[in-house]
Amino acid sequence: DFGILKAYANYVTRNITSTYNSSQFLNRSAEQIGVRGNIRPNIDAWFQAGLGKYQPVGTTSTVNFTGYQLGSNYYLSKRTNLYAILGSTQTSGQDTSNTNYALGIRHTF
C-alpha cells in the first residue's frame, strides 16, 4: 500500500493431464503485476501487465504470451457502478494478438 496506490503481484502455475491419455497434457505458468488507486472518491482505476508461457496439448513447443489491462470504475452508489476495461494479449509462436474491451453497469445485492 503506497497511500493512494496499491500494488499487487500474482504468480500461477498449472499442469493438467488427460485422464484418458496421459501423453496429452497442458502446462501453463504466468506472472502478473499491477497497481490500483482512487482518482477521485467515486472513481478508481487500475493497470496490470503480465507474461507467461504454455505448452499446448499434444506438442512439445512452448508459446509465450504477454498482456495488459487498463480499467476504471465510476461508483454511482455504494452498490452500483459503471465500468470500462481495455485489455490486449499477444502470443509468440502463434503470432496472434487480441484486443478486447468491456463497458457495463454492475449492481451488487
Side-chain angles (χ1 to χ4, degrees):
D1 191 347
F2 300 100
I4 63 168
L5 295 176
K6 296 182 188 305
Y8 51 90
N10 183 32
Y11 174 77
V12 64
T13 183
R14 184 155 186 194
N15 300 314
I16 303 168
T17 304
S18 171
T19 56
Y20 300 109
N21 183 349
S22 62
S23 67
Q24 292 186 339
F25 56 89
L26 173 71
N27 294 324
R28 183 180 182 119
S29 64
E31 301 85 29
Q32 176 184 13
I33 59 170
V35 65
R36 181 179 204 115
N38 288 335
I39 298 171
R40 299 190 57 153
N42 64 334
I43 301 173
D44 71 357
W46 69 90
F47 176 78
Q48 55 194 27
L51 55 92
K53 62 183 176 181
Y54 69 92
Q55 185 177 4
V57 174
T59 70
T60 57
S61 63
T62 299
V63 176
N64 296 311
F65 60 89
T66 60
Y68 71 87
Q69 187 180 74
L70 175 67
S72 182
N73 289 306
Y74 178 79
Y75 294 93
L76 300 171
S77 69
K78 182 178 177 180
R79 295 184 185 182
T80 305
N81 71 292
L82 303 174
Y83 63 86
I85 305 169
L86 173 68
S88 181
T89 304
Q90 299 79 34
T91 59
S92 67
Q94 295 176 342
D95 295 324
T96 61
S97 177
N98 295 310
T99 300
N100 297 291
Y101 66 91
L103 301 170
I105 187 168
R106 178 183 304 124
H107 180 78
T108 59
F109 296 92

